[in-house]
Amino acid sequence: MGTKEKILDVSLELFSQKGYGNVYVGQIAEAVGIKAPSLYKHFRSKREIFDAILEEMQRRYQETAAGLQMNGQDAGADGAIFQKVSEEQLVQMGIGLFRYFLHDEYVRKFRKMLTIEQFADKELGALLTRQYVEDPIEYQAQIFEMLIAGGLLKGDDPKIMALEFYSPIYMLLTWCDRDPKKEKEAMGLLESHIKQFNKQYGRKKK
Amino acid sequence: MGTKEKILDVSLELFSQKGYGNVYVGQIAEAVGIKAPSLYKHFRSKREIFDAILEEMQRRYQETAAGLQMNGQDAGADGAIFQKVSEEQLVQMGIGLFRYFLHDEYVRKFRKMLTIEQFADKELGALLTRQYVEDPIEYQAQIFEMLIAGGLLKGDDPKIMALEFYSPIYMLLTWCDRDPKKEKEAMGLLESHIKQFNKQYGRKKK
DNA sequence: CTTGACGGCTAATCGGAATTAGCCTATAAT
DNA sequence: ATTATAGGCTAATTCCGATTAGCCGTCAAG
């Protein structure tokens, strides 16, 4: 990994921990293993490091979102994948999402950074809302809509279903971000929640 | 309002917006209407201002928590108040909690401040978890347990019920903190959610 | 070989932010 | 009336952090 990437890497780590304003270029440099002035051979300013992280993470998000139609464009056409939903699959969808959000180091750090900066910078707040509220809800609502149309789930308001399915995931995620030791417990609660969800909205008995 | 209280007041406002590290004593002083050095007639340091806010807010929390048995001590004895739950009351409980969290200026600002500082200071993270995850869930689980015991709701896992009831409240709250314009929409979603909740766990038909 | 750019370093600059020193006024208690 | 205290101000101090200047070794291309 080149120095430039390493700078972005350790900066994200530090920003996600202390917030942009409380990280000093000297700390970044030290973590990289160089002296502060050398940073300026790679970026013109501290702010530019932050912006580079932002761009990179947005690029990655677009990528995965595109892969999932989470962008909110089409979707609804190729529901073929979901032609036989089971409790097990619902659980996998929820736990899988949770695990991904929680365990992908870049995703996790970036989310923490956005969390810290959300009120200082409107743009970042909007980004957090999009990535962790609006897009997931919309995406899951689409899935539930398909599942209902296919007769695999019952229910009449996909958006509320998505809200109820996803909110616990989100809350448990913020909980674990604060205290990773709670992951096990969170995972158990999440699984119980999804089974309960399935009991209420599922069509088949078991 | 004395100067000392005013300092705490504007400091909370500023800290909740930019975070402790990005607020300068000059800004606090200006917002109060005095010069920076005069702050030191009331507090020995910037940090002491922060700590004073923290103590005051924790005191208030204990107060309200005590009033609700949200502290997790006894409760379960005097369920008399809940002897006739209705959809309307469930809605009021949810919406009421949401409104209180969202509209009480001190509560809202303090929550935002904790949100910003949660990763920099373990204590603050734990405080946020207690006030916005563990205590509410535990409290509501107790209520649901009583309601089930009283035959007013059906269900077999009060904790999961609390998770499902409360998580959307929490998520919509963080959403509105970021963008108060969404309050109306959030309120609508919340009401739909609670009605759905009641449809699933309520005993009576309407 | 030699040259230029890449990337590191030390030393300096420059501005800003917390805090302290010391002064002054008003007011309330003696 | 006197005086002590509370609370404000200006000016200074001190420290720290971002950034710049300018030097130097390495290494690949000519």
Side-chain angles (χ1 to χ4, degrees), chain A residues 5-25:
Chain A
E5 288 71 40
K6 198 163 179 184
I7 291 171
L8 293 175
D9 208 51
V10 307
S11 296
L12 177 57
E13 168 68 26
L14 288 167
F15 291 158
S16 76
Q17 196 60 34
K18 308 158 174 283
Y20 177 80
N22 298 314
V23 172
Y24 309 127
V25 292

Side-chain angles (χ1 to χ4, degrees), chain A residues 17 21-22 112 115 118-120 125 129 134 160 164 167-168 170-171 174-175 178 182 192-193 196 200-201, chain B residues 17 21-22 112 115 118-120 125 129 134 160 164 167-168 170-171 175 178 182 192-193 196 200-201:
Chain A
Q17 196 60 34
N22 298 314
K112 290 173 73 171
T115 299
Q118 65 180 319
F119 301 124
T129 291
E134 293 170 352
I160 295 298
E164 296 188 333
S167 291
Y170 176 78
M171 198 180 73
T174 66
W175 191 38
R178 250 169 257 133
K182 296 297 175 61
S192 298
H193 153 60
Q196 182 64 26
Q200 312 211 300
Y201 290 107
Chain B
Q17 195 60 35
N22 298 314
K112 289 173 73 171
T115 300
Q118 64 180 319
F119 301 124
T129 291
E134 292 170 352
I160 294 298
E164 296 188 334
S167 293
Y170 176 77
M171 197 179 73
W175 192 38
R178 248 168 258 135
K182 295 296 173 61
S192 299
H193 153 60
Q196 181 64 29
Q200 311 210 304
Y201 291 107

Side-chain angles (χ1 to χ4, degrees), chain B:
Chain B
M1 183 166 45
T3 302
K4 190 160 185 170
E5 290 70 40
K6 199 162 178 186
I7 291 171
L8 294 175
D9 207 52
V10 307
S11 296
L12 177 56
E13 168 68 25
L14 288 167
F15 291 157
S16 75
Q17 195 60 35
K18 309 157 173 284
Y20 178 79
N22 298 314
V23 172
Y24 309 126
V25 291
Q27 296 172 5
I28 297 174
E30 187 178 358
V32 171
I34 59 179
K35 301 292 179 172
S38 301
L39 290 175
Y40 293 81
K41 299 291 180 171
H42 303 275
F43 298 93
R44 285 206 301 277
S45 68
K46 179 183 169 189
R47 190 72 206 181
E48 200 173 272
I49 297 176
F50 183 85
D51 292 338
I53 291 173
L54 208 60
E55 274 182 50
E56 169 66 8
M57 291 296 137
Q58 286 201 260
R59 198 188 55 65
R60 292 192 196 199
Y61 181 77
Q62 302 298 352
E63 237 177 58
T64 39
L68 291 174
Q69 291 98 39
M70 262 179 78
N71 47 27
Q73 295 311 321
D74 57 318
D78 59 344
I81 325 148
F82 304 104
Q83 282 314 49
K84 44 186 168 139
V85 75
S86 67
E87 175 168 294
E88 193 48 39
Q89 285 172 307
L90 270 181
V91 169
Q92 283 318 312
M93 173 167 133
I95 302 263
L97 191 63
F98 183 73
R99 282 203 137 91
Y100 169 68
F101 279 159
L102 193 59
H103 285 158
D104 184 295
E105 282 302 283
Y106 286 100
V107 169
R108 204 190 87 244
K109 288 176 190 169
F110 187 57
R111 176 180 60 249
K112 289 173 73 171
M113 191 174 95
L114 287 181
T115 300
I116 291 177
E117 306 293 342
Q118 64 180 319
F119 301 124
D121 184 328
K122 284 282 177 202
E123 296 259 342
L124 301 183
L127 195 56
L128 186 58
T129 291
R130 210 170 319 123
Q131 293 193 5
Y132 285 94
V133 179
E134 292 170 352
D135 281 359
I137 296 254
E138 189 181 340
Y139 173 63
Q140 287 174 25
Q142 284 174 3
I143 290 180
F144 290 139
E145 192 172 0
M146 291 189 300
L147 293 176
I148 292 168
L152 295 156
L153 288 181
K154 60 192 177 192
D156 54 6
D157 191 337
K159 181 144 186 200
I160 294 298
M161 284 172 72
L163 180 71
E164 296 188 334
F165 185 83
Y166 176 70
S167 293
I169 295 177
Y170 176 77
M171 197 179 73
L172 294 172
L173 195 60
T174 65
W175 192 38
C176 289
D177 279 341
R178 248 168 258 135
D179 185 359
K181 287 191 307 296
K182 295 296 173 61
E183 179 180 335
K184 200 92 183 197
E185 187 178 350
M187 209 69 92
L189 286 169
L190 186 52
E191 190 170 337
S192 299
H193 153 60
I194 298 174
K195 287 183 173 164
Q196 181 64 29
F197 181 90
N198 181 55
K199 199 191 289 183
Q200 311 210 304
Y201 291 107
R203 273 236 172 271
K204 322 227 162 191
K205 284 295 157 199
K206 247 309 147 358

Side-chain angles (χ1 to χ4, degrees), chain A residues 7 11 15 30 65 67 76 103 107-108 113 121 154-155 161 181 187 193 199 205:
Chain A
I7 291 171
S11 296
F15 291 158
E30 187 177 359
H103 286 156
V107 168
R108 205 190 87 244
M113 191 174 95
D121 184 328
K154 60 192 176 192
M161 286 171 72
K181 288 193 304 298
M187 208 70 90
H193 153 60
K199 200 191 288 184
K205 286 292 155 200

Side-chain angles (χ1 to χ4, degrees), chain A residues 173-188:
Chain A
L173 194 60
T174 66
W175 191 38
C176 290
D177 279 341
R178 250 169 257 133
D179 185 0
K181 288 193 304 298
K182 296 297 175 61
E183 178 179 335
K184 201 91 183 198
E185 187 178 350
M187 208 70 90

